[in-house]
Amino acid sequence: MLSVIRVHLPSDIPIVGCELTPYVLLRRPDTNATTDDVPESAPLDGHFLRYKWYRIQSDRKVAICSVHPSEQATLQCLGCVKAKIPVAKSYHCSPKCFSDAWQHHRVLHDRAASAINENGNEEEELFGRFNSSGSGGINTSLSGSASSASLTNGSTPLYPAAVTQRSGGETWFEVGRSKTYTPSADDIGHVLKFECVVVDAETKLPVGHSNTLLTSRVIPAPSPTPRRLISVSGLDAMAPLDSDGRISSSGTFTVLSYNILSDVYATNDTYSYCPSWALSWPYRRQNLLREIVGYRADIVCLQEVQSDHYEEFFAPELDKHGYQALYKRKTNEVYNVNTHTIDGCATFFRRDRFSHVKKYEVEFNKAAQSLTDALVPSAQRKTALNRLVKDNVALIVVLDAKFSNQGADNPGKRQLLCVANTHINVHQDLKDVKLWQVLTLLKGLEKIAASADIPMLVCGDFNSVPGSAPHSLLAMGKVDQLHPDLVVDPLGILRPHSKLTHQLPLVSAYSSFARVGVGLGSDQQRRRMDATTNEPLFTNCTRDFIGTLDYIFYTADSLTVESLLELLDEESLRKDTALPSPEWSSDHIALLAEFRCKPRPRR
């Protein structure tokens, strides 16, 4: 007969908005073990599995610390209550917790006051854009009441909530009847109970004992402090990020570049400082989606997107928000693993703002093969390929804008845009390979530029710090022949050094902070910039490394930067915290720039 051997959860800490899917190990009638589900619609040997979820509500209400969500709160910031900041943000587990978080926490007070002065709608402005429907990412109260009269979860149809038992000051509310359950805001601070039992398909009665497990208390999904767009166009004002009307009416567009940290690389060994529940993919994917959607960018360039996560999650989820998706998976000649978990570059664009014209895929492995065939003696080709073949790729997309800033007197002119999205090789001892990959990409973009008068954007994780040879090539159009990176070139692929040039007038978008006048926002941002390179102090922040690896470059003869997403400082990341963290679900930070196409001269 069908029987349950054991059940357990991948994580003991349930988080609002993140699916809970227990691991259920079954013994089939033929004595073989399996984890396959046996639903009522497809019974096995006359039996199926029935699942139920309960919320256990105690008469004693529990508040959760906003900084350490797995800890119970012991004190509350009355300033938050007075400023009408969502109450969940006001709780702390200890005086030290509150003191350590004060610099970060004070920003909430300042912005709440600013939002009230500007439009009187502080909660929506500050926190609303990080909430997804039904996720309960920001809770305004800790409720001890029952849920609404009817509910749904997973694939379960609507049905009345049922009080199944009350004893010892506890009430159990039935909240779900499917294997998977997604905690809601009503569950915050409460323990959940999962029940699994074998049922006779004919009598619908349980057979044998039920298997149950209890979770820890449900915690709210931590949300990072919202980041603002800061104008660099001379208006010198801090703009709310979610101003679609402003962006659309002005003929500008926004571009996001973000390495989201592939789940394959997000191991507990590598990121031991991040709580395991915050490192789990079910949590990170929801947090990343909430963040990405919150930026409301017109074009989104993501790196380290696993192919299975692209197909099953990001493409369908962003489609719901009006994005069309394009993807290029890394080749797998070196890392010959499950093709579903190989990562790649994904580019999304808003259908109401752009249409797709053309797509180019750059495989650096193919370029390496061509290079070695042409330049390397046959006896040395295997060694050369071992060094050059690293599976990295780039995705180049040509888009046609559905808006125009050419003016009413010049209607009908198409505004094309070329967007390159890449992830350059990570190994720091392969400086020649990094530079060669960047040069290969730029030469390909030069060919596109030669065939069309088209603005260009080059986005991605270049795994190269400011001042390195790849950065110099991108930003300066050439590499100094005495640059120390050029010493590493065992294959001679960088010689003659005079070929290390390109003709694209590329400028780093974030260097605009160094060029604008003193004023609100921009002055603060300059303190988060490197004065020598005019790049951010960091875009990647782990325990082992802090520095800038990510960039958005643009052709300055055809585009101007209007505003930039504010940079983070170490206070924003909270004291002694590296990335990823419960608030930020990648070890990189997102970069976003707003651009305007320069009017083209009449011909």
Side-chain angles (χ1 to χ4, degrees):
M1 189 185 77
L2 186 69
S3 61
V4 177
I5 300 174
R6 66 187 179 101
V7 298
H8 75 88
L9 283 169
S11 174
D12 292 333
I13 300 179
I15 304 108
V16 167
C18 297
E19 287 183 350
L20 287 171
T21 304
Y23 174 89
V24 180
L25 183 63
L26 305 174
R27 189 173 304 283
R28 296 165 52 93
D30 59 7
T31 72
N32 288 326
T34 180
T35 57
D36 293 341
D37 195 13
V38 184
E40 184 175 4
S41 58
L44 181 64
D45 194 31
H47 296 86
F48 66 91
L49 292 180
R50 176 184 291 162
Y51 307 106
K52 287 188 179 183
W53 287 89
Y54 302 94
R55 175 171 66 244
I56 303 175
Q57 294 190 183
S58 171
D59 291 344
R60 186 171 69 92
K61 295 182 181 179
V62 177
I64 304 299
C65 176
S66 62
V67 179
H68 306 101
S70 59
E71 300 295 326
Q72 186 172 331
T74 62
L75 59 89
Q76 184 177 27
C77 173
L78 296 181
C80 289
V81 178
K82 184 177 179 180
K84 297 182 180 179
I85 292 170
V87 70
K89 293 286 185 180
S90 67
Y91 293 117
H92 296 267
C93 57
S94 69
K96 183 179 186 301
C97 167
F98 182 67
S99 175
D100 289 347
W102 173 245
Q103 292 299 322
H104 167 85
H105 186 81
R106 185 176 58 184
V107 174
L108 301 181
H109 293 209
D110 295 342
R111 288 184 172 173
S114 173
I116 291 172
N117 291 336
E118 290 174 10
N119 56 27
N121 189 20
E122 71 279 8
E123 283 195 18
E124 173 64 25
E125 172 65 25
L126 288 175
F127 307 104
R129 68 183 183 83
F130 277 104
N131 284 338
S132 57
S133 176
S135 72
I138 302 297
N139 64 311
T140 56
S141 66
L142 291 176
S143 171
S145 62
S147 60
S148 58
S150 62
L151 56 90
T152 181
N153 210 291
S155 59
T156 313
L158 291 170
Y159 63 93
V163 179
T164 61
Q165 184 177 340
R166 181 172 177 81
S167 63
E170 290 184 346
T171 306
W172 292 12
F173 290 94
E174 185 179 323
V175 293
R177 291 182 180 173
S178 62
K179 184 177 182 180
T180 297
Y181 178 72
T182 303
S184 70
D186 287 338
D187 298 320
I188 292 174
H190 303 295
V191 171
L192 298 175
K193 178 181 177 181
F194 172 70
E195 181 180 273
C196 172
V197 65
V198 176
V199 176
D200 186 292
E202 184 175 343
T203 65
K204 301 297 190 292
L205 295 176
V207 178
H209 71 281
S210 63
N211 294 263
T212 62
L213 56 80
L214 298 178
T215 71
S216 301
R217 295 185 186 275
V218 176
I219 64 173
S223 60
T225 301
R227 297 166 66 188
R228 303 283 185 99
L229 275 175
I230 299 178
S231 172
V232 296
S233 61
L235 299 177
D236 200 32
M238 293 186 73
L241 188 60
D242 51 345
S243 48
D244 282 350
R246 175 182 64 82
I247 292 171
S248 298
S249 63
S250 66
T252 64
F253 63 94
T254 52
V255 179
L256 175 75
S257 184
Y258 196 7
N259 180 326
I260 62 170
L261 179 59
S262 169
D263 184 44
V264 169
Y265 309 140
T267 64
N268 287 301
D269 288 340
T270 304
Y271 303 103
S272 58
Y273 50 82
C274 182
S276 59
W277 59 265
L279 203 56
S280 68
W281 181 242
Y283 172 75
R284 288 205 309 120
R285 71 176 187 175
Q286 293 295 339
N287 207 32
L288 287 165
L289 180 67
R290 202 159 36 230
E291 182 186 359
I292 292 165
V293 169
Y295 292 133
R296 299 191 181 181
D298 297 305
I299 301 168
V300 177
C301 296
L302 303 181
Q303 303 87 44
E304 286 197 23
V305 182
Q306 282 184 200
S307 57
D308 56 340
H309 296 161
Y310 169 79
E311 295 287 348
E312 298 168 8
F313 184 72
F314 285 108
E317 288 298 324
L318 287 171
D319 176 71
K320 297 174 186 176
H321 293 275
Y323 288 95
Q324 184 170 331
L326 296 165
Y327 183 70
K328 175 57 183 172
R329 191 180 70 189
K330 285 182 181 177
T331 45
N332 63 329
E333 294 172 44
V334 177
Y335 303 104
N336 193 11
V337 294
N338 185 338
T339 56
H340 296 298
T341 59
I342 296 174
D343 65 287
C345 297
T347 299
F348 305 85
F349 60 90
R350 285 190 179 276
R351 295 188 196 89
D352 61 341
R353 307 226 67 209
F354 293 96
S355 58
H356 176 223
V357 177
K358 198 161 187 177
K359 169 186 173 184
Y360 301 90
E361 296 182 351
V362 179
E363 294 185 359
F364 295 113
N365 284 3
K366 288 184 178 178
Q369 185 68 57
S370 299
L371 178 70
T372 53
D373 287 347
L375 298 181
V376 180
S378 56
Q380 302 172 17
R381 283 178 188 168
K382 184 175 181 180
T383 301
L385 287 173
N386 283 340
R387 186 172 185 84
L388 290 174
V389 170
K390 299 300 175 189
D391 292 341
N392 299 89
V393 297
L395 175 62
I396 303 172
V397 179
V398 177
L399 303 174
D400 189 359
K402 296 182 179 180
F403 58 90
S404 173
N405 61 348
Q406 300 298 321
D409 59 339
N410 206 6
K413 275 205 170 186
R414 297 179 74 188
Q415 178 60 71
L416 298 178
L417 182 68
C418 180
V419 183
N421 179 10
T422 192
H423 188 186
I424 298 301
N425 188 251
V426 68
H427 296 291
Q428 296 307 309
D429 57 344
L430 299 177
K431 298 183 187 300
D432 54 327
V433 178
K434 289 179 189 287
L435 182 55
W436 169 76
Q437 287 184 351
V438 172
L439 180 65
T440 301
L441 173 61
L442 291 172
K443 290 302 180 184
L445 292 174
E446 276 188 324
K447 293 179 181 178
I448 297 173
S451 63
D453 177 18
I454 182 170
M456 290 196 166
L457 292 157
V458 186
C459 308
D461 175 1
F462 291 85
N463 274 307
S464 303
V465 298
S468 64
H471 179 264
S472 296
L473 180 61
L474 284 158
M476 309 297 294
K478 61 181 180 180
V479 181
D480 189 305
Q481 296 193 23
L482 298 178
H483 196 291
D485 284 2
L486 300 184
V487 174
V488 181
D489 187 17
L491 302 175
I493 60 173
L494 305 179
R495 292 191 286 268
H497 295 160
S498 58
K499 76 177 182 180
L500 302 176
T501 63
H502 68 89
Q503 302 304 313
L504 300 173
L506 293 178
V507 175
S508 175
Y510 271 79
S511 68
S512 299
F513 275 139
R515 298 192 295 271
V516 298
V518 177
L520 176 67
S522 59
D523 190 45
Q524 180 189 55
Q525 293 303 299
R526 270 195 297 276
R527 293 195 293 271
R528 301 174 185 179
M529 303 283 292
D530 185 297
T532 303
T533 63
N534 291 334
E535 295 288 5
L537 290 174
F538 67 90
T539 64
N540 180 248
C541 178
T542 68
R543 284 277 170 84
D544 301 321
F545 174 83
I546 183 166
T548 293
L549 302 174
D550 308 85
Y551 308 92
I552 298 175
F553 286 93
Y554 68 99
T555 46
D557 63 338
S558 55
L559 296 169
T560 58
V561 179
E562 295 286 303
S563 55
L564 295 163
L565 185 65
E566 66 181 326
L567 295 167
L568 297 176
D569 57 15
E570 291 187 67
E571 288 180 355
S572 300
L573 297 175
R574 296 185 175 155
K575 188 176 180 180
D576 299 327
T577 299
L579 300 179
S581 68
E583 292 77 24
W584 305 96
S585 287
S586 174
D587 55 347
H588 292 250
I589 66 170
L591 301 179
L592 183 145
E594 179 188 7
F595 294 98
R596 183 189 300 276
C597 294
K598 291 182 177 179
R600 290 175 291 183
R602 290 188 179 185
R603 295 179 179 175

